[in-house]
Amino acid sequence: MKVQTGVDIGGLTLKNPVMTSSGTFGYGEEYADYLDINRLGAIVVKGLSLKPKEGNPPPRIMETASGMLNAVGLQNVGVEAFIEKKLPYLRTIDPAVVVNIFGNSVEEYGRIAEILNDANGVDALEVNISCPNVKEGGVAFGSDPLLAGEVTRAVKSASRLPVIVKLTPNVTDITEIARSVEIAGADAVSLINTLTGMSIDIEKRIPHLKNITGGLSGPAIKPVALRMVWETVKAVSIPVIGVGGIMSASDALEFLIAGARAIQIGTAHFIDPSAAAHVVDGIEEYLSEHGLEDIRDLIGTLRT
Amino acid sequence: MGGFWIVKRDICATVFSQRETVERHFLLTVRVPAHFGNALPGQFVMVRLKGGAAPFLSRPFSIYSVSSRGNDTCLEIFYQVVGEGTDIFSKLAEGDLLSIRGPLGKGFDIPPACKTVVLVAGGIGVAPLSFLAQRCREEMGDVELICYLGAGTAESLAGLERLEKICTAVKISTDDGSRGYRGLVTGLFEKDMDRYAGDTVRIYSCGPRAMLKSLQWLLKDNPAVCQVSLEERMACGFGACLGCAVRIRSNGGGFVRVCTEGPIFDIRDVEFSG
């Protein structure tokens, strides 16, 4: 049975709901040799700032139970070098290109969005207001409903593209932030970014990460992500993109059933660089086996 | 896209054998596809248990050797148990399945005109250097191969047997003086260092950070080219996770990826303190 897997994310049309998550898929080209990249619905590139950023000193990562901590610190080439050096490759491939952006100030978010208006080959923006590892671009904007709304408004008024706002789980109530960015004009929200955590070397009595704390990702966070996605789906009427610990098609299907319009795969790519392609296959098989002709007949069908 | 991406997919490899050579140091031999025969000394592989939940991330290991045995291509990994991941690997036995990504990274640069190859190995840092020595011996005939090999004690000298077969001379240091020079391997190297200065000499090193840093200092007035193999925690091994950053001095400084721009670097280019 031929199944229909296309979804619409606030004006961004995807041929299937499988996206890569920012910071785990480089600028796409890193994966070109490892999977058939054209199987994917969308690629979300590494977060971009106005100027290049060198990131945090090492050690930057540490394995933890069923997951990993990272404090890469948003190392990136900057928006200008991205357009010049990275975007040409992305134009040659089929998946939608979502550019993740972050700034030091509300104005800077708007400025980056404006620069990307002129860049041919960008299909949507994902606004990072949730990185736990840096002061700017980060959680300061994402944990305050008013600031989150202000950043969203600045990007929306500067950009011609659909705007997805990526939310942090490191807040008391994620639905409050989601509602705030919805009112400010966000076309969709993606959640969750990493959970702040830490790990200690007991022999040396030092943190395993130079940054002391880092963002936890991987299967360890999936139940938390799923719960937050489910709550947010009920709280807003814009599409929700589910992110957090998805390793397989069955993980992805849980998020879709909970109401996520699309999903992002991140850390799983480090374990298996072709993980996203397997998830696409697995979703199609599931739909087919369950007699569902259209993925939209599955999304948000959780029975409670 | 072409058809070449298939070779880069993670492959499933079968454990051929594993044995503990010296305390907590294991020699793992796995059967791999024939294209691993193209691996260069200095390159590495990412390894995890096939279908296993732990360790979660693959672990990077330098290649210790690649050889043909009958119709099979065998990859050797020589490692020390240092944490949970390597502890799990140490229990692998014949027939167990691994998922392997690679060969990854850049290899050592070996100029054909090189007449003297000097290796400075600390502990398990011997692994990539032994592969390099083997390849030099195979391809450069009568090249002079001098290895400085350091370990804690005589019992923990890893990789010695093989090096003694390949090298012109193996000079040993132990921290406790139970064999060879008493002290650090860099101290032993320092005594001979002035011999190694010409254009036809190359120095290669791998070992703990502190050792490489001290070698960098020793070589500050010595013109010989020295390449080092660096280690850093990494999640992907192919440049996407940005976990394995190392600060370099060239190109205006900044971080590069050990997995992609390395793991082989000019010793003078590495900023060991940051």
Side-chain angles (χ1 to χ4, degrees):
Chain A
M1 186 172 82
K2 179 76 188 144
V3 292
Q4 195 294 116
T5 54
V7 291
D8 178 82
I9 313 285
L12 170 70
T13 306
L14 305 182
K15 65 179 174 184
N16 68 56
V18 179
M19 311 169 74
T20 66
S21 75
S22 178
T24 66
F25 210 73
Y27 302 103
E29 61 194 9
E30 291 86 344
Y31 281 82
D33 294 330
Y34 288 92
L35 83 166
D36 183 357
I37 213 159
N38 290 327
R39 296 282 287 136
L40 308 182
I43 289 173
V44 185
V45 299
K46 177 77 185 156
L48 295 171
S49 46
L50 204 49
K51 298 277 173 252
K53 203 165 148 53
E54 73 165 23
N56 289 330
R60 290 176 169 186
I61 60 168
M62 183 64 198
E63 174 163 332
T64 56
S66 295
M68 63 180 282
L69 288 166
N70 91 81
V72 168
L74 295 174
Q75 176 179 342
N76 79 96
V77 297
V79 67
E80 305 283 0
F82 167 77
I83 293 169
E84 192 189 323
K85 294 181 182 140
K86 306 294 181 184
L87 200 50
Y89 166 74
L90 291 165
R91 276 189 214 116
T92 67
I93 58 173
D94 190 40
V97 174
V98 179
V99 173
N100 184 287
I101 62 168
F102 69 94
N104 288 311
S105 62
V106 172
E107 295 71 32
E108 213 172 283
Y109 276 94
R111 180 79 196 105
I112 302 167
E114 216 178 318
I115 292 169
L116 286 163
N117 276 337
D118 301 327
N120 174 26
V122 179
D123 299 301
L125 300 182
E126 182 179 64
V127 185
N128 183 358
I129 53 166
S130 47
C131 179
N133 298 324
V134 292
K135 287 193 190 77
E136 69 276 13
V139 79
F141 294 109
S143 50
D144 178 332
L146 291 176
L147 277 176
E150 257 183 67
V151 171
T152 306
R153 255 187 295 275
V155 175
K156 270 305 283 183
S157 63
S159 183
R160 62 178 174 84
L161 299 165
V163 172
I164 303 161
V165 180
K166 188 166 184 181
L167 306 182
T168 175
N170 303 308
V171 292
T172 313
D173 180 4
I174 199 166
T175 64
E176 191 189 354
I177 313 286
R179 277 194 299 268
S180 178
V181 301
E182 178 182 35
I183 291 163
D187 297 296
V189 286
S190 52
L191 59 135
I192 58 177
N193 204 321
T194 55
L195 284 151
T196 311
M198 69 187 284
S199 170
I200 293 172
D201 179 332
I202 58 166
E203 296 304 324
K204 296 180 186 156
R205 301 189 202 176
I206 57 168
H208 275 124
L209 299 178
K210 186 80 172 175
N211 191 54
I212 304 176
T213 61
L216 179 65
S217 65
I221 72 167
K222 198 197 79 181
V224 177
L226 191 58
R227 184 266 296 176
M228 288 188 170
V229 163
W230 178 64
E231 287 176 349
T232 306
V233 165
K234 290 187 294 179
V236 297
S237 46
I238 52 176
V240 174
I241 301 168
V243 200
I246 296 175
M247 300 293 289
S248 64
S250 62
D251 292 339
L253 289 160
E254 285 190 65
F255 281 88
L256 296 171
I257 292 166
R261 189 81 61 92
I263 56 97
Q264 292 181 2
I265 297 176
T267 302
H269 288 119
F270 304 150
I271 312 305
D272 174 7
S274 59
H278 296 312
V279 171
V280 173
D281 293 341
I283 290 173
E284 285 177 4
E285 274 166 37
Y286 174 92
L287 293 174
S288 197
E289 281 166 16
H290 291 74
L292 295 161
E293 284 173 25
D294 193 321
I295 195 160
R296 289 170 295 193
D297 298 333
L298 176 74
I299 291 167
T301 54
L302 180 72
R303 300 173 187 140
T304 52
Chain B
M1 292 287 105
F4 287 112
W5 47 264
I6 289 172
V7 288
K8 280 209 176 178
R9 287 200 167 173
D10 295 5
I11 59 104
C12 178
T14 314
V15 174
F16 184 77
S17 66
Q18 172 155 261
R19 67 185 173 91
E20 191 170 7
T21 63
V22 296
E23 201 189 0
R24 297 180 75 71
H25 289 70
F26 289 81
L27 177 61
L28 175 66
T29 308
V30 293
R31 280 200 198 89
V32 291
H35 74 262
F36 276 77
N38 300 325
L40 303 170
Q43 286 192 300
F44 67 100
V45 288
M46 295 293 286
V47 183
R48 81 190 287 275
L49 304 194
K50 182 78 184 166
F56 177 63
L57 298 172
S58 302
R59 295 293 190 267
F61 293 106
S62 285
I63 296 171
Y64 186 48
S65 88
V66 182
S67 60
S68 299
R69 298 189 190 182
N71 291 328
D72 293 325
T73 300
C74 284
L75 170 77
E76 283 186 321
I77 294 167
F78 189 33
Y79 65 96
Q80 182 184 9
V81 173
V82 291
E84 279 174 49
T86 43
D87 187 55
I88 292 168
F89 289 146
S90 73
K91 294 170 179 81
L92 288 168
E94 186 185 347
D96 287 344
L97 298 180
L98 297 173
S99 177
I100 296 185
R101 184 177 307 151
L104 300 162
K106 295 192 164 69
F108 291 108
D109 169 34
I110 321 162
C114 188
K115 297 237 181 325
T116 303
V117 168
V118 181
L119 311 173
V120 184
I124 194 60
V126 71
L129 299 178
S130 185
F131 186 23
L132 175 68
Q134 208 176 351
R135 193 57 67 84
C136 287
R137 184 55 77 217
E138 284 162 13
E139 293 183 359
M140 299 163 74
D142 57 356
V143 65
E144 183 185 31
L145 277 166
I146 313 284
C147 180
Y148 294 82
L149 181 65
T153 64
E155 288 72 40
S156 61
L157 276 162
L160 176 60
E161 209 177 306
R162 186 172 298 184
L163 284 169
E164 280 182 324
K165 284 183 196 146
I166 307 167
C167 292
T168 317
V170 180
K171 304 191 175 200
I172 291 166
S173 76
T174 52
D175 296 348
D176 66 353
S178 53
R179 184 157 174 192
Y181 172 83
R182 181 193 185 110
L184 299 173
V185 70
T186 42
L188 179 59
F189 169 78
E190 187 181 5
K191 300 205 296 177
D192 297 347
M193 201 176 70
D194 295 342
R195 280 183 54 203
Y196 309 127
D199 284 348
T200 57
V201 177
R202 282 290 184 280
I203 303 168
Y204 301 93
S205 185
C206 183
R209 260 315 148 100
M211 178 197 123
L212 299 179
K213 191 177 175 180
S214 122
L215 185 64
Q216 185 188 51
W217 187 83
L218 286 177
L219 290 171
K220 65 187 190 311
D221 300 319
N222 183 315
V225 174
C226 176
Q227 288 191 319
V228 291
S229 170
L230 297 186
E231 181 175 53
E232 188 54 70
R233 281 187 221 136
M234 53 183 75
C236 70
F238 56 91
C241 76
L242 307 182
C244 59
V246 58
R247 190 182 286 284
I248 57 160
R249 293 168 175 173
S250 59
N251 295 327
F255 292 117
V256 296
R257 300 161 295 186
V258 170
C259 70
T260 306
E261 282 75 42
I264 308 305
F265 292 91
D266 181 327
I267 197 167
R268 293 171 178 84
D269 196 23
V270 181
E271 193 56 76
F272 286 107
S273 45

